[in-house]
PDB file of all heavy atoms in Angstrom:
ATOM      1  N   MET A   1       0.880  -1.197  -0.003  1.00 98.00           N
ATOM      2  CA  MET A   1       0.038   0.020   0.010  1.00 98.00           C
ATOM      3  C   MET A   1       0.881   1.168  -0.014  1.00 98.00           C
ATOM      4  O   MET A   1       1.675   1.486   0.964  1.00 98.00           O
ATOM      5  CB  MET A   1      -0.926   0.033   1.162  1.00 98.00           C
ATOM      6  CG  MET A   1      -1.675  -1.214   1.325  1.00 98.00           C
ATOM      7  SD  MET A   1      -2.924  -1.080   2.617  1.00 98.00           S
ATOM      8  CE  MET A   1      -1.940  -1.003   4.082  1.00 98.00           C
ATOM      9  N   ASN A   2       0.789   2.039  -1.056  1.00 98.00           N
ATOM     10  CA  ASN A   2       1.528   3.293  -1.234  1.00 98.00           C
ATOM     11  C   ASN A   2       0.660   4.452  -1.320  1.00 98.00           C
ATOM     12  O   ASN A   2      -0.624   4.299  -1.475  1.00 98.00           O
ATOM     13  CB  ASN A   2       2.399   3.209  -2.493  1.00 98.00           C
ATOM     14  CG  ASN A   2       3.419   2.085  -2.418  1.00 98.00           C
ATOM     15  OD1 ASN A   2       3.991   1.750  -1.452  1.00 98.00           O
ATOM     16  ND2 ASN A   2       3.733   1.590  -3.684  1.00 98.00           N
ATOM     17  N   SER A   3       1.158   5.614  -1.085  1.00 98.00           N
ATOM     18  CA  SER A   3       0.440   6.831  -1.140  1.00 98.00           C
ATOM     19  C   SER A   3      -0.877   6.761  -0.283  1.00 98.00           C
ATOM     20  O   SER A   3      -1.948   7.061  -0.608  1.00 98.00           O
ATOM     21  CB  SER A   3      -0.010   7.215  -2.577  1.00 98.00           C
ATOM     22  OG  SER A   3       1.157   7.308  -3.307  1.00 98.00           O
ATOM     23  N   LEU A   4      -0.725   6.254   0.935  1.00 98.00           N
ATOM     24  CA  LEU A   4      -1.939   6.006   1.815  1.00 98.00           C
ATOM     25  C   LEU A   4      -2.641   7.351   2.018  1.00 98.00           C
ATOM     26  O   LEU A   4      -1.979   8.372   2.260  1.00 98.00           O
ATOM     27  CB  LEU A   4      -1.490   5.391   3.030  1.00 98.00           C
ATOM     28  CG  LEU A   4      -1.153   3.812   2.907  1.00 98.00           C
ATOM     29  CD1 LEU A   4      -0.429   3.292   4.002  1.00 98.00           C
ATOM     30  CD2 LEU A   4      -2.511   3.128   2.809  1.00 98.00           C
ATOM     31  N   LYS A   5      -3.954   7.226   2.155  1.00 98.00           N
ATOM     32  CA  LYS A   5      -4.840   8.406   2.502  1.00 98.00           C
ATOM     33  C   LYS A   5      -5.623   8.053   3.793  1.00 98.00           C
ATOM     34  O   LYS A   5      -5.884   6.869   4.128  1.00 98.00           O
ATOM     35  CB  LYS A   5      -5.832   8.542   1.292  1.00 98.00           C
ATOM     36  CG  LYS A   5      -5.163   8.832   0.022  1.00 98.00           C
ATOM     37  CD  LYS A   5      -6.123   8.902  -1.058  1.00 98.00           C
ATOM     38  CE  LYS A   5      -5.568   9.069  -2.415  1.00 98.00           C
ATOM     39  NZ  LYS A   5      -6.606   9.139  -3.500  1.00 98.00           N
ATOM     40  N   PRO A   6      -6.083   9.069   4.493  1.00 98.00           N
ATOM     41  CA  PRO A   6      -6.794   8.824   5.732  1.00 98.00           C
ATOM     42  C   PRO A   6      -8.176   7.976   5.429  1.00 98.00           C
ATOM     43  O   PRO A   6      -8.500   7.149   6.302  1.00 98.00           O
ATOM     44  CB  PRO A   6      -7.326  10.246   6.048  1.00 98.00           C
ATOM     45  CG  PRO A   6      -6.190  11.112   5.626  1.00 98.00           C
ATOM     46  CD  PRO A   6      -5.761  10.565   4.345  1.00 98.00           C
ATOM     47  N   GLU A   7      -8.713   8.033   4.251  1.00 97.00           N
ATOM     48  CA  GLU A   7      -9.850   7.263   3.954  1.00 97.00           C
ATOM     49  C   GLU A   7      -9.544   5.670   3.800  1.00 97.00           C
ATOM     50  O   GLU A   7     -10.278   4.865   3.628  1.00 97.00           O
ATOM     51  CB  GLU A   7     -10.559   7.684   2.751  1.00 97.00           C
ATOM     52  CG  GLU A   7      -9.633   7.975   1.517  1.00 97.00           C
ATOM     53  CD  GLU A   7      -9.270   9.422   1.361  1.00 97.00           C
ATOM     54  OE1 GLU A   7      -8.835   9.924   2.372  1.00 97.00           O
ATOM     55  OE2 GLU A   7      -9.211   9.897   0.243  1.00 97.00           O
ATOM     56  N   ASP A   8      -8.133   5.401   3.794  1.00 98.00           N
ATOM     57  CA  ASP A   8      -7.775   3.981   3.703  1.00 98.00           C
ATOM     58  C   ASP A   8      -7.770   3.361   5.124  1.00 98.00           C
ATOM     59  O   ASP A   8      -7.611   2.133   5.237  1.00 98.00           O
ATOM     60  CB  ASP A   8      -6.295   3.923   3.191  1.00 98.00           C
ATOM     61  CG  ASP A   8      -6.198   4.306   1.683  1.00 98.00           C
ATOM     62  OD1 ASP A   8      -7.122   3.831   0.966  1.00 98.00           O
ATOM     63  OD2 ASP A   8      -5.184   4.882   1.390  1.00 98.00           O
ATOM     64  N   THR A   9      -8.037   4.182   6.131  1.00 98.00           N
ATOM     65  CA  THR A   9      -8.113   3.637   7.544  1.00 98.00           C
ATOM     66  C   THR A   9      -9.177   2.599   7.696  1.00 98.00           C
ATOM     67  O   THR A   9     -10.323   2.907   7.373  1.00 98.00           O
ATOM     68  CB  THR A   9      -8.325   4.793   8.528  1.00 98.00           C
ATOM     69  OG1 THR A   9      -7.156   5.744   8.455  1.00 98.00           O
ATOM     70  CG2 THR A   9      -8.478   4.201   9.876  1.00 98.00           C
ATOM     71  N   ALA A  10      -8.895   1.362   8.135  1.00 98.00           N
ATOM     72  CA  ALA A  10      -9.818   0.404   8.227  1.00 98.00           C
ATOM     73  C   ALA A  10      -9.085  -0.826   8.836  1.00 98.00           C
ATOM     74  O   ALA A  10      -7.911  -0.889   9.008  1.00 98.00           O
ATOM     75  CB  ALA A  10     -10.352  -0.027   6.818  1.00 98.00           C
ATOM     76  N   VAL A  11      -9.870  -1.941   9.161  1.00 97.00           N
ATOM     77  CA  VAL A  11      -9.329  -3.227   9.542  1.00 97.00           C
ATOM     78  C   VAL A  11      -9.295  -4.043   8.253  1.00 97.00           C
ATOM     79  O   VAL A  11     -10.254  -4.064   7.462  1.00 97.00           O
ATOM     80  CB  VAL A  11     -10.148  -3.985  10.436  1.00 97.00           C
ATOM     81  CG1 VAL A  11      -9.697  -5.313  10.718  1.00 97.00           C
ATOM     82  CG2 VAL A  11     -10.209  -3.188  11.859  1.00 97.00           C
ATOM     83  N   TYR A  12      -8.149  -4.476   7.863  1.00 98.00           N
ATOM     84  CA  TYR A  12      -7.873  -5.137   6.551  1.00 98.00           C
ATOM     85  C   TYR A  12      -7.902  -6.670   6.857  1.00 98.00           C
ATOM     86  O   TYR A  12      -7.225  -7.145   7.802  1.00 98.00           O
ATOM     87  CB  TYR A  12      -6.518  -4.725   5.954  1.00 98.00           C
ATOM     88  CG  TYR A  12      -6.688  -3.409   5.282  1.00 98.00           C
ATOM     89  CD1 TYR A  12      -6.772  -2.173   6.014  1.00 98.00           C
ATOM     90  CD2 TYR A  12      -6.639  -3.236   3.881  1.00 98.00           C
ATOM     91  CE1 TYR A  12      -6.818  -1.005   5.405  1.00 98.00           C
ATOM     92  CE2 TYR A  12      -6.705  -2.065   3.302  1.00 98.00           C
ATOM     93  CZ  TYR A  12      -6.816  -0.929   4.075  1.00 98.00           C
ATOM     94  OH  TYR A  12      -6.906   0.339   3.384  1.00 98.00           O
ATOM     95  N   HIS A  13      -8.712  -7.419   6.092  1.00 96.00           N
ATOM     96  CA  HIS A  13      -8.856  -8.800   6.139  1.00 96.00           C
ATOM     97  C   HIS A  13      -8.343  -9.562   4.865  1.00 96.00           C
ATOM     98  O   HIS A  13      -8.673  -9.035   3.831  1.00 96.00           O
ATOM     99  CB  HIS A  13     -10.306  -9.196   6.432  1.00 96.00           C
ATOM    100  CG  HIS A  13     -10.918  -8.697   7.758  1.00 96.00           C
ATOM    101  ND1 HIS A  13     -10.881  -9.454   8.881  1.00 96.00           N
ATOM    102  CD2 HIS A  13     -11.470  -7.507   8.006  1.00 96.00           C
ATOM    103  CE1 HIS A  13     -11.440  -8.715   9.848  1.00 96.00           C
ATOM    104  NE2 HIS A  13     -11.882  -7.569   9.383  1.00 96.00           N
ATOM    105  N   CYS A  14      -7.782 -10.614   5.117  1.00 96.00           N
ATOM    106  CA  CYS A  14      -7.368 -11.396   3.975  1.00 96.00           C
ATOM    107  C   CYS A  14      -8.419 -12.627   3.877  1.00 96.00           C
ATOM    108  O   CYS A  14      -8.960 -13.130   4.961  1.00 96.00           O
ATOM    109  CB  CYS A  14      -5.957 -12.093   4.316  1.00 96.00           C
ATOM    110  SG  CYS A  14      -5.369 -13.232   3.124  1.00 96.00           S
ATOM    111  N   ALA A  15      -8.594 -13.099   2.725  1.00 95.00           N
ATOM    112  CA  ALA A  15      -9.543 -14.188   2.529  1.00 95.00           C
ATOM    113  C   ALA A  15      -9.211 -15.011   1.318  1.00 95.00           C
ATOM    114  O   ALA A  15      -8.448 -14.608   0.389  1.00 95.00           O
ATOM    115  CB  ALA A  15     -11.008 -13.699   2.299  1.00 95.00           C
ATOM    116  N   ALA A  16      -9.598 -16.306   1.295  1.00 93.00           N
ATOM    117  CA  ALA A  16      -9.429 -17.160   0.323  1.00 93.00           C
ATOM    118  C   ALA A  16     -10.768 -17.463  -0.408  1.00 93.00           C
ATOM    119  O   ALA A  16     -11.778 -17.595   0.246  1.00 93.00           O
ATOM    120  CB  ALA A  16      -8.918 -18.533   0.759  1.00 93.00           C
ATOM    121  N   GLY A  17     -10.627 -17.655  -1.717  1.00 92.00           N
ATOM    122  CA  GLY A  17     -11.911 -17.894  -2.443  1.00 92.00           C
ATOM    123  C   GLY A  17     -11.685 -18.727  -3.589  1.00 92.00           C
ATOM    124  O   GLY A  17     -10.665 -19.314  -3.858  1.00 92.00           O
ATOM    125  N   SER A  18     -12.727 -18.860  -4.542  1.00 91.00           N
ATOM    126  CA  SER A  18     -12.658 -19.707  -5.629  1.00 91.00           C
ATOM    127  C   SER A  18     -12.243 -18.959  -6.866  1.00 91.00           C
ATOM    128  O   SER A  18     -11.599 -19.556  -7.774  1.00 91.00           O
ATOM    129  CB  SER A  18     -14.073 -20.424  -5.810  1.00 91.00           C
ATOM    130  OG  SER A  18     -14.316 -21.247  -4.745  1.00 91.00           O
ATOM    131  N   TYR A  19     -12.834 -17.831  -7.055  1.00 93.00           N
ATOM    132  CA  TYR A  19     -12.580 -17.004  -8.305  1.00 93.00           C
ATOM    133  C   TYR A  19     -12.118 -15.583  -7.907  1.00 93.00           C
ATOM    134  O   TYR A  19     -12.852 -14.861  -7.207  1.00 93.00           O
ATOM    135  CB  TYR A  19     -13.927 -16.983  -9.119  1.00 93.00           C
ATOM    136  CG  TYR A  19     -14.432 -18.297  -9.465  1.00 93.00           C
ATOM    137  CD1 TYR A  19     -15.530 -18.865  -8.726  1.00 93.00           C
ATOM    138  CD2 TYR A  19     -13.857 -19.102 -10.379  1.00 93.00           C
ATOM    139  CE1 TYR A  19     -16.014 -20.196  -9.005  1.00 93.00           C
ATOM    140  CE2 TYR A  19     -14.354 -20.383 -10.652  1.00 93.00           C
ATOM    141  CZ  TYR A  19     -15.381 -20.872  -9.900  1.00 93.00           C
ATOM    142  OH  TYR A  19     -15.897 -22.139 -10.180  1.00 93.00           O
ATOM    143  N   TYR A  20     -11.099 -15.150  -8.513  1.00 92.00           N
ATOM    144  CA  TYR A  20     -10.566 -13.842  -8.221  1.00 92.00           C
ATOM    145  C   TYR A  20     -11.449 -12.731  -8.507  1.00 92.00           C
ATOM    146  O   TYR A  20     -11.441 -11.583  -7.932  1.00 92.00           O
ATOM    147  CB  TYR A  20      -9.122 -13.644  -8.790  1.00 92.00           C
ATOM    148  CG  TYR A  20      -9.195 -13.181 -10.308  1.00 92.00           C
ATOM    149  CD1 TYR A  20      -9.124 -11.858 -10.665  1.00 92.00           C
ATOM    150  CD2 TYR A  20      -9.420 -14.249 -11.223  1.00 92.00           C
ATOM    151  CE1 TYR A  20      -9.148 -11.406 -11.938  1.00 92.00           C
ATOM    152  CE2 TYR A  20      -9.472 -13.733 -12.695  1.00 92.00           C
ATOM    153  CZ  TYR A  20      -9.350 -12.409 -12.980  1.00 92.00           C
ATOM    154  OH  TYR A  20      -9.391 -11.971 -14.286  1.00 92.00           O
ATOM    155  N   ASN A  21     -12.251 -12.937  -9.621  1.00 92.00           N
ATOM    156  CA  ASN A  21     -13.163 -11.882 -10.136  1.00 92.00           C
ATOM    157  C   ASN A  21     -14.565 -11.992  -9.642  1.00 92.00           C
ATOM    158  O   ASN A  21     -15.520 -11.399 -10.167  1.00 92.00           O
ATOM    159  CB  ASN A  21     -13.170 -11.846 -11.552  1.00 92.00           C
ATOM    160  CG  ASN A  21     -13.520 -13.232 -12.291  1.00 92.00           C
ATOM    161  OD1 ASN A  21     -13.647 -14.229 -11.585  1.00 92.00           O
ATOM    162  ND2 ASN A  21     -13.689 -13.219 -13.567  1.00 92.00           N
ATOM    163  N   ASP A  22     -14.779 -12.821  -8.631  1.00 91.00           N
ATOM    164  CA  ASP A  22     -16.158 -13.024  -7.986  1.00 91.00           C
ATOM    165  C   ASP A  22     -15.876 -13.119  -6.474  1.00 91.00           C
ATOM    166  O   ASP A  22     -15.653 -14.178  -5.858  1.00 91.00           O
ATOM    167  CB  ASP A  22     -16.825 -14.231  -8.465  1.00 91.00           C
ATOM    168  CG  ASP A  22     -18.234 -14.354  -7.881  1.00 91.00           C
ATOM    169  OD1 ASP A  22     -18.662 -13.531  -7.144  1.00 91.00           O
ATOM    170  OD2 ASP A  22     -18.912 -15.327  -8.261  1.00 91.00           O
ATOM    171  N   TYR A  23     -15.775 -11.950  -5.776  1.00 85.00           N
ATOM    172  CA  TYR A  23     -15.480 -12.001  -4.344  1.00 85.00           C
ATOM    173  C   TYR A  23     -16.556 -12.493  -3.465  1.00 85.00           C
ATOM    174  O   TYR A  23     -16.332 -12.729  -2.318  1.00 85.00           O
ATOM    175  CB  TYR A  23     -15.003 -10.550  -3.932  1.00 85.00           C
ATOM    176  CG  TYR A  23     -15.914  -9.452  -3.910  1.00 85.00           C
ATOM    177  CD1 TYR A  23     -16.845  -9.311  -2.910  1.00 85.00           C
ATOM    178  CD2 TYR A  23     -15.861  -8.475  -4.850  1.00 85.00           C
ATOM    179  CE1 TYR A  23     -17.704  -8.284  -2.938  1.00 85.00           C
ATOM    180  CE2 TYR A  23     -16.642  -7.363  -4.898  1.00 85.00           C
ATOM    181  CZ  TYR A  23     -17.678  -7.332  -3.863  1.00 85.00           C
ATOM    182  OH  TYR A  23     -18.460  -6.232  -3.958  1.00 85.00           O
ATOM    183  N   SER A  24     -17.672 -12.823  -4.019  1.00 89.00           N
ATOM    184  CA  SER A  24     -18.683 -13.488  -3.198  1.00 89.00           C
ATOM    185  C   SER A  24     -18.360 -14.823  -2.870  1.00 89.00           C
ATOM    186  O   SER A  24     -18.956 -15.439  -1.981  1.00 89.00           O
ATOM    187  CB  SER A  24     -19.994 -13.359  -3.898  1.00 89.00           C
ATOM    188  OG  SER A  24     -20.061 -14.222  -5.133  1.00 89.00           O
ATOM    189  N   THR A  25     -17.291 -15.365  -3.599  1.00 90.00           N
ATOM    190  CA  THR A  25     -16.821 -16.739  -3.255  1.00 90.00           C
ATOM    191  C   THR A  25     -15.846 -16.795  -2.142  1.00 90.00           C
ATOM    192  O   THR A  25     -15.430 -17.902  -1.716  1.00 90.00           O
ATOM    193  CB  THR A  25     -16.248 -17.342  -4.527  1.00 90.00           C
ATOM    194  OG1 THR A  25     -15.031 -16.756  -4.859  1.00 90.00           O
ATOM    195  CG2 THR A  25     -17.169 -17.267  -5.725  1.00 90.00           C
TER     196      THR A  25
END
């Protein structure tokens, strides 16, 4: 993460899925 902005403030979660272009998985 570069050029971070205040609006980037959050809890960041990693997840595993089936399809990279369908994050509902």
